Amino acid sequence: MSSPNAPASHPVPFTAEVYRARMAKAADSAAEAGLAGVIVAPGPDLVHLTGYRPVSTERLTLLVLRAGEEPVLVVPTLEAPDAAAAAGAPALALRDWTDGVDPYAVTSPLLAAQGRFAVSDNAWAMHLLGLQRALPDTTYTALTEALPMLRAVKDAAELDRLTAAGAAADATYEEILKVRFSGRRETDVAADLAALLKHFGHSQVDFTVVGSGPNGANPHHEAGERTIERGDMVVLDFGGLKHGYGSDTSRTVHVGEPTAEEQRVHDIVREAQQAGCAAVRPGVACQEIDRAARAVITEFGYGDRFIHRTGHGIGVTTHEPPYMIEGEEQPLVPGMCFSVEPGIYLPGRFGVRIEDIVTVTEDGGRRLNATARELAIVE
């Protein structure tokens, strides 16, 4: 697999026409799936489709998309100026409502009285129930179930942002290798990671996993007060958003020289991660990436210690479809971006995980992380 291209420091802005095309694609995809339309609440789907990033509150904000109809964004009146300033606002109609007015009475005429709609996964239950009361003959399904490919395939501008985020995460890893680990708490190293991600351009830090010694056997261990000791294996998993797009990388380091067993387990995970990345190419089912990585770990007798899927998609959020997991038969398509992150976890002892973000190319895959995957020795 090739190494990432140098990302632009200032990515090309998304225009209203880009958002218009995204909304039209979503509406048309819904119609092709037999749905009456798409309803989008504040969250990553709304950001992707309109560039608008409001805070989700009890006041109703919804984007309504229907094939052949103008997109309409329903917003509280006090938030209408912010909505009108969003990059995608020229590509839609704004309809506002004031406190004291029933927002569902404002929204329901935009929907079919009878029909099935895809709803963004993070919509508030109270808002969906309000629509159901106003339109009792409508039904709803989760957007990621109905249209799992909606955000999965990235265009060149999105790839540029993901590449920049990956490069920033790589720079963070290179710098964290220079800090002292032994004698410091996991939370201290996690704070260093967060500061470095910000230093290298992240606007948002989503997670800084620092799992030392036995804590590394918990894949999603929250950095705690444990003092890192000489002889510890330490799992580092960190990422967030830069230019609105995600980074997510994992490396495992060792404080001082590792034992032969620790080195062997790390080598197995590195081989498994390489196998998963090497399996990436257009037309291959997502589950084949999981199978390729899992086969290596199983061959060496640690199959029951690889306790999570091999990967997840990434974009305007750090976790989104598609998922590299057994049973997922969705074929890979050029422009898809996802993690490849096998691991081995030995309870009460240590864990190892190695993770890169990979994008599917026309003839294979390209890693968006380029730091060394060998076991690094830290002090």
Side-chain angles (χ1 to χ4, degrees), residues 175-236:
E175 290 299 314
I176 205 67
L177 293 179
K178 301 174 185 177
V179 310
R180 185 168 186 84
F181 280 67
S182 62
R184 302 177 70 214
R185 296 170 300 176
E186 292 174 341
T187 50
D188 296 329
V189 177
D192 290 341
L193 285 169
L196 287 166
L197 285 169
K198 290 278 192 177
H199 174 75
F200 289 113
H202 278 62
S203 60
Q204 176 177 313
V205 176
D206 287 344
F207 49 89
T208 51
V209 172
V210 180
S212 65
N215 289 339
N218 176 0
H220 281 176
H221 170 70
E222 293 283 345
E225 296 302 308
R226 183 182 185 276
T227 298
I228 301 170
E229 302 173 353
R230 193 164 187 82
D232 279 348
M233 194 81 92
V234 185
V235 177
L236 305 173

Side-chain angles (χ1 to χ4, degrees), residues 93-317:
L94 279 176
R95 186 165 300 181
D96 65 312
W97 62 276
T98 58
D99 287 351
V101 171
D102 181 358
Y104 308 109
V106 175
T107 307
S108 58
L110 305 173
L111 308 180
Q114 296 179 325
R116 188 168 180 80
F117 289 84
V119 183
S120 54
D121 297 6
N122 54 334
W124 281 29
M126 65 178 286
H127 296 320
L128 185 56
L129 292 169
L131 287 176
Q132 287 180 314
R133 285 194 300 270
L135 297 168
D137 292 330
T138 54
T139 58
Y140 303 89
T141 184
L143 182 56
T144 54
E145 290 183 6
L147 302 176
M149 293 288 286
L150 181 64
R151 304 196 324 251
V153 178
K154 275 63 179 180
D155 62 24
E158 291 179 293
L159 287 172
D160 186 56
R161 286 164 166 76
L162 284 162
T163 301
D170 282 358
T172 295
Y173 176 66
E174 296 289 357
E175 290 299 314
I176 205 67
L177 293 179
K178 301 174 185 177
V179 310
R180 185 168 186 84
F181 280 67
S182 62
R184 302 177 70 214
R185 296 170 300 176
E186 292 174 341
T187 50
D188 296 329
V189 177
D192 290 341
L193 285 169
L196 287 166
L197 285 169
K198 290 278 192 177
H199 174 75
F200 289 113
H202 278 62
S203 60
Q204 176 177 313
V205 176
D206 287 344
F207 49 89
T208 51
V209 172
V210 180
S212 65
N215 289 339
N218 176 0
H220 281 176
H221 170 70
E222 293 283 345
E225 296 302 308
R226 183 182 185 276
T227 298
I228 301 170
E229 302 173 353
R230 193 164 187 82
D232 279 348
M233 194 81 92
V234 185
V235 177
L236 305 173
D237 184 351
F238 50 94
L241 299 182
K242 179 174 181 175
H243 304 318
Y245 280 73
S247 69
D248 186 359
T249 190
S250 300
R251 295 290 186 264
T252 302
V253 302
H254 198 276
V255 186
E257 291 298 320
T259 65
E261 182 192 19
E262 289 169 331
Q263 183 66 62
R264 178 174 178 271
V265 170
H266 190 278
D267 289 345
I268 292 167
V269 174
R270 182 157 60 96
E271 183 177 336
Q273 206 260 352
Q274 173 59 32
C277 291
V280 175
R281 61 185 181 277
V284 169
C286 290
Q287 67 181 0
E288 294 300 331
I289 310 308
D290 183 85
R291 288 174 177 177
R294 200 168 299 276
V296 174
I297 291 175
T298 300
E299 177 186 354
F300 284 98
Y302 291 96
D304 62 339
R305 297 292 92 212
F306 180 11
I307 56 177
H308 55 74
R309 66 197 175 202
T310 293
H312 57 82
I314 191 169
V316 292
T317 58

Side-chain angles (χ1 to χ4, degrees), residues 42 52-57 59 61 79:
Y52 182 41
R53 192 188 294 270
V55 175
S56 181
T57 71
R59 289 188 172 96
T61 295
E79 295 174 9

